[in-house]
Amino acid sequence: SQTIHQWPATLVQPVGSPLSLECTVEGTSNPNLYWYRQAAGRGLQLLFYSVGIGQISSEVPQNLSASRPQDRQFILSSKKLLLSDSGFYLCAWSTTGAVYGYTFGSGTRLTVV
Amino acid sequence: ILNVEQSPQSLHVQEGDSTNFTCSFPSSNFYALHWYRWETAKSPEALFVMTLNGDEKKKGRISATLNTKEGYSYLYIKGSQPEDSATYLCAFFSGSARQLTFGSGTQLTVLP
């Protein structure tokens, strides 16, 4: 069966510090991978998605970046965090096309102080 | 940009009440409509995938209907319980997109 792992679960980082969140999927090949964020009081916002190794599409211009160094690994990064980067980050995967929906990771609560 | 809207934004009901909320989505190029249940600090849990106009899905006390021609879906909860408290998200998948477009959710609080 397929599983998705996301870590860390919580993170408190100072403004200006770097960020690395990691997501891995097991039990499937060539998944579509996604990073979403929920800021306080808001809905889910798509940040990045990837349909293959090294293929990243950015939905929202900001100081975050994503990379997919391996088929089942998706990393969200920042060189310098802003206060506005605080939120709940979710990784998700789907089969090609996503018509059957996503399976989400357990999420990371990021607080930038 | 696809627009998916949910209403109401939040809802408080008493235990035992039945309730429903709405998801509106573009009526053109429809492929699928998803409902998720999302508890705070947990990952969203899939409830239903709906693909055909007139679809009705049911899972215990929760059910959903779909009207693709007018672009809306209703989620119903019969006899709400405190454990139903969560945010209910709908997500739209169109033929032109490679990913789901989520609504902002309806936050349900069931008071004991």
Side-chain angles (χ1 to χ4, degrees):
Chain A
S1 64
Q2 302 92 355
T3 55
I4 179 168
H5 303 279
Q6 184 182 343
W7 68 93
T10 59
L11 198 55
V12 180
Q13 291 284 97
V15 168
S17 65
L19 172 74
S20 181
L21 303 182
E22 191 161 341
C23 174
T24 59
V25 181
E26 295 178 358
T28 187
S29 297
N30 198 30
N32 286 1
L33 295 170
Y34 310 86
W35 278 110
Y36 279 85
R37 176 174 66 193
Q38 185 197 32
R42 305 186 67 177
L44 278 177
Q45 179 185 40
L46 178 65
L47 300 176
F48 301 96
Y49 71 93
S50 171
V51 299
I53 295 174
Q55 300 178 61
I56 308 293
S57 295
S58 173
E59 292 294 305
V60 183
Q62 55 206 328
N63 70 319
L64 299 173
S65 62
S67 62
R68 185 168 176 174
Q70 301 180 47
D71 181 44
R72 289 168 287 180
Q73 184 185 28
F74 205 23
I75 298 171
L76 182 71
S77 304
S78 175
K79 292 182 180 178
K80 288 185 179 181
L81 284 168
L82 306 172
L83 285 174
S84 57
D85 292 323
S86 293
F88 190 68
Y89 289 79
L90 280 167
C91 177
W93 79 272
S94 73
T95 56
T96 302
V99 65
Y100 297 109
Y102 296 167
T103 300
F104 287 90
S106 53
T108 297
R109 170 71 60 191
L110 172 66
T111 305
V112 182
V113 295
Chain B
I1 296 177
L2 298 172
N3 198 27
V4 179
E5 296 185 354
Q6 290 187 247
S7 62
Q9 190 173 25
S10 64
L11 193 56
H12 289 72
V13 301
Q14 289 294 135
E15 183 176 355
D17 287 351
S18 293
T19 186
N20 65 86
F21 0 106
T22 306
C23 173
S24 301
F25 52 86
S27 56
S28 60
N29 213 6
F30 175 88
Y31 262 50
L33 193 282
H34 299 255
W35 282 100
Y36 289 86
R37 180 176 178 276
W38 190 16
E39 289 185 65
T40 302
K42 295 186 179 179
S43 54
E45 169 198 353
L47 288 175
F48 303 116
V49 181
M50 310 181 79
T51 56
L52 297 175
N53 186 43
D55 250 359
E56 290 190 30
K57 302 271 185 175
K58 189 174 181 183
K59 194 177 193 177
R61 294 179 291 99
I62 304 177
S63 60
T65 61
L66 179 68
N67 183 322
T68 60
K69 293 183 179 180
E70 295 183 38
Y72 65 83
S73 175
Y74 294 138
L75 189 78
Y76 301 91
I77 302 179
K78 185 178 177 181
S80 303
Q81 299 296 309
E83 58 264 30
D84 295 328
S85 297
T87 296
Y88 291 83
L89 292 169
C90 69
F92 171 72
F93 186 81
S94 76
S96 59
R98 289 188 178 186
Q99 62 277 337
L100 296 177
T101 300
F102 284 86
S104 54
T106 292
Q107 187 174 9
L108 174 67
T109 304
V110 182
L111 304 169

